[in-house]
């Protein structure tokens, strides 16, 4: 997602313009890494903090989940809108890995160096976000979660949640509709909170971060490897669905269409 000139603003004739299809200048990698770290930290702080707040206000589990999911929808939408133009607003190693995979196969995305910077930044941000949320609500800064999430049906939920997320993101990219990403992605995650058995973590970094808090949104460390494995499987399923559903057509002479 790149910024565009305001409608109606004339462009001086003597200002050099990029060639059609040229790659626009990219934000420095350190700025993108900072955006991924801060964005992931803020996302986890929203998820964990709203979960703590919900449990303080009501004992009704349905209302707790409603509060948690609503806060996540609004928080995620704002973060994507704010940081998307800087780093792409991945906040998710599964998304970054999927972009790297498509880039190495000739598509747009991050390279190996950027992958090596993005993923640690996301994980560090997720841990920091969980600790920050605990600090804001007077909880122990680090207390391993005891919320076991190892059941097979929950693992299946993570495959479905992550596959749907990857399908959505890359489907928007294939159809040139990434301008809708803040609303579309936040809406999907909000819905997936309710239609998946796992409440849609769909994010390895967030999964790791949520192990550091023994609160409503936590996940036991022993459950983390299974969740991450299923999220990676879901990412592969999502990319396969993108390849089939958004298959590029060909012109009459057999060349790929635009």
């Amino acid at each position: 997602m790149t910024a565009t000139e305001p409608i109606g603003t004339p462009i001086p004739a003597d200002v050099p313009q990029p060639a059609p299809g040229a790659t626009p200048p990219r934000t420095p990698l350190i700025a993108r890494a900072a955006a991924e770290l801060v964005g992931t930290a803020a996302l986890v702080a929203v998820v964990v903090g709203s979960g703590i707040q919900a449990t303080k206000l009501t004992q009704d589990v349905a209302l707790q989940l409603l509060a948690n999911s609503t806060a996540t929808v609004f928080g995620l939408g704002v973060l994507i809108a704010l940081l998307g133009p800087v780093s792409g607003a991945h906040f998710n190693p599964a998304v970054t890995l999927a972009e790297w995979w498509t880039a190495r196969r000739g598509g747009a995305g991050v390279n190996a160096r950027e992958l090596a910077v993005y993923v640690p930044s996301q994980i560090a941000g997720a841990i920091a976000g969980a600790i920050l949320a605990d600090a804001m609500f007077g909880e122990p800064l680090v207390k391993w979660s005891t919320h076991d999430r190892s059941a097979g049906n929950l693992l299946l939920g993570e495959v479905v949640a992550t596959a749907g997320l990857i399908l959505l993101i890359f489907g928007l990219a294939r159809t040139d509709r990434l301008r809708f990403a803040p609303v579309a992605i936040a809406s999907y995650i909000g819905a997936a909170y309710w239609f998946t058995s796992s409440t849609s973590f769909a994010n390895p970094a967030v999964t790791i971060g949520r192990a550091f808090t023994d609160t409503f949104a936590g996940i036991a460390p022993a459950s983390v490897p299974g969740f991450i494995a299923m999220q990676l499987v879901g990412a592969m399923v999502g990319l396969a669905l993108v390849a089939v559903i958004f298959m590029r057509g060909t012109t009459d002479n057999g060349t790929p269409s635009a």
Side-chain angles (χ1 to χ4, degrees), residues 143-240:
K143 184 177 181 182
W144 299 116
S145 175
T146 55
H147 192 163
D148 179 73
R149 299 178 188 263
S150 59
N153 63 301
L154 302 183
L155 298 178
L156 175 60
E158 280 303 288
V159 174
V160 172
T162 311
L165 178 63
I166 296 298
L167 174 61
L168 171 61
I169 293 171
F170 286 83
L172 290 174
R174 284 282 182 95
T175 56
D176 194 26
R177 294 180 179 178
L178 279 174
R179 61 190 178 278
F180 299 121
V183 172
I185 295 172
S187 298
Y188 171 79
I189 291 298
Y193 253 89
W194 291 91
F195 80 76
T196 65
S197 56
S198 63
T199 66
S200 183
F201 284 47
N203 184 328
V206 168
T207 302
I208 293 171
R210 288 168 68 167
F212 283 73
T213 177
D214 192 21
T215 57
F216 178 81
I219 177 173
S223 301
V224 168
F227 259 50
I228 292 177
M230 293 303 100
Q231 288 158 1
L232 296 178
V233 170
M236 290 187 287
V237 172
L239 284 178

Side-chain angles (χ1 to χ4, degrees), residues 59 132 135 225 227 244 248:
Q59 297 304 308
L132 175 61
F227 259 50
V244 173
R248 300 191 187 279

Side-chain angles (χ1 to χ4, degrees), residues 91-119:
F91 314 145
N92 188 336
V95 173
T96 303
L97 282 165
E99 271 212 6
W100 168 77
W101 180 257
T102 59
R104 68 186 291 274
R105 296 175 63 85
V110 299
N111 58 34
R113 176 169 174 260
E114 293 165 330
L115 173 70
V117 172
Y118 269 44
V119 172

